Amino acid sequence: MTYRAGFACFVGRPNAGKSTLMNAIIGQKIAITSNKPQTTRHIIRGVLHRPEAQLVLVDTPGLHRPRTLLGERLNDLVRQTWSEVDAIGLCIPADEEIGRGDRFITGELAELKASVIAVVTKADLVDKKRLAEQLIAVSELGEFAEVVPVSAVSGYQVETLIDVMTGYLPESPQLYPDDMLTDEPEQVLIAELIREAALEGVRDELPHSIAVVVEEMMREGGLTKIYADVYVERQSQKAIVIGAKASRLKEVGTRSRQAIEGLIGGKVYLDLHVRVAKDWQRDPKQLRKLGF
């Protein structure tokens, strides 16, 4: 039996269901999911172990037309990732018309050496007839190795997609140890969980203005103490994140603390502060400080 191992990533316009699909494949939450577009900023690798293969998933931000320095850096990151993987799943939702963004990304992918698999996501949201029409429309969009419909929510065809993707990996020995699910440092994952909680229910103007840095993390007996700063770009945004009588910040703290306890498997004390870093998305020095 040939053992295969390699890297794969999901791409698509923002909100095409990439992170949700990745979480469904790895079987636990490693990429943050939110209904706000462009919430993924870090390349998070998830490792799927199979007896005959190891699929290492790389998560990329959505490719978009950049309006800030952060946007440009994210796009560069995306293209660099694409050039380094063996298989790419292009995610196109079943419940939306194929648009300019999908065509743009398909064109960008056509020049790569990786096998491109078209993944029609959110199949649970449409009936059979609409799904069949979308599959035909997608297959006419470009030269794909295969076209696979899936639903990360219901689990429909997720296993099939894994089989298809691992089939395009090169023959290779195992790349990561058996017990490893992600190589992302714990503090980055914790910062992402806090950011996800901070984005929840926030009005649309905030998604890209929030960054989180875990300043300090120490274990004392059975308790992990985490001190983290939530950065926004303006004073008015700080007020939104904190909420009336700090009610929102408390909620963010509770929600993210529970998620972090799930991640590290132990009790957590979380100390959150909201700070203003004026227009950080446009400032190279601040971007570096915040880890971009």
Side-chain angles (χ1 to χ4, degrees), residues 134-161:
Q134 188 72 333
L135 290 172
I136 291 166
V138 168
S139 61
E140 288 167 356
L141 189 60
E143 291 285 317
F144 299 115
E146 321 223 0
V147 180
V148 184
V150 298
S151 162
V153 174
S154 71
Y156 167 71
Q157 292 245 100
V158 171
E159 286 296 318
T160 308
L161 178 63

Side-chain angles (χ1 to χ4, degrees), residues 230-243:
V230 177
Y231 286 91
V232 291
E233 296 192 286
R234 293 190 290 282
Q235 207 60 41
S236 59
Q237 295 173 336
K238 183 175 176 175
I240 295 175
V241 174
I242 293 175

Side-chain angles (χ1 to χ4, degrees), residues 155-218:
Y156 167 71
Q157 292 245 100
V158 171
E159 286 296 318
T160 308
L161 178 63
I162 295 169
D163 290 340
V164 169
M165 291 189 94
T166 47
Y168 288 98
L169 300 181
E171 293 181 19
S172 157
Q174 206 169 322
L175 300 169
Y176 288 95
D178 279 339
D179 55 356
M180 189 153 149
L181 288 172
T182 175
D183 72 350
E184 199 60 27
E186 202 167 51
Q187 289 191 343
V188 174
L189 288 175
I190 287 168
E192 288 287 85
L193 290 171
I194 296 169
R195 199 163 71 90
E196 182 178 27
L199 282 173
E200 197 64 44
V202 157
R203 297 212 300 279
D204 292 338
E205 72 267 27
L206 242 65
H208 313 308
S209 300
I210 293 181
V212 177
V213 176
V214 174
E215 293 294 345
E216 199 179 354
M217 191 168 149
M218 43 203 196

Side-chain angles (χ1 to χ4, degrees), residues 13 91-99 102 118-123 126-141 144 147-149:
R13 55 191 159 86
C91 296
I92 297 176
D95 63 335
E96 293 174 37
E97 294 291 319
I98 290 173
D102 300 314
V119 184
V120 177
T121 57
K122 310 185 185 186
V126 295
D127 58 25
K128 284 200 176 80
K129 181 172 175 291
R130 174 78 187 98
L131 183 58
E133 286 165 2
Q134 188 72 333
L135 290 172
I136 291 166
V138 168
S139 61
E140 288 167 356
L141 189 60
F144 299 115
V147 180
V148 184

Side-chain angles (χ1 to χ4, degrees), residues 54-99:
Q54 192 174 61
L55 179 65
V56 184
L57 286 173
V58 185
D59 197 24
T60 59
L63 193 71
H64 60 290
R65 293 204 163 77
R67 284 191 289 276
T68 60
L69 180 62
L70 172 66
E72 284 170 29
R73 289 210 179 157
L74 292 180
N75 278 356
D76 291 344
L77 200 64
V78 175
R79 292 198 176 88
Q80 187 192 332
T81 307
W82 291 1
S83 63
E84 293 164 2
V85 297
D86 304 295
I88 295 177
L90 168 61
C91 296
I92 297 176
D95 63 335
E96 293 174 37
E97 294 291 319
I98 290 173

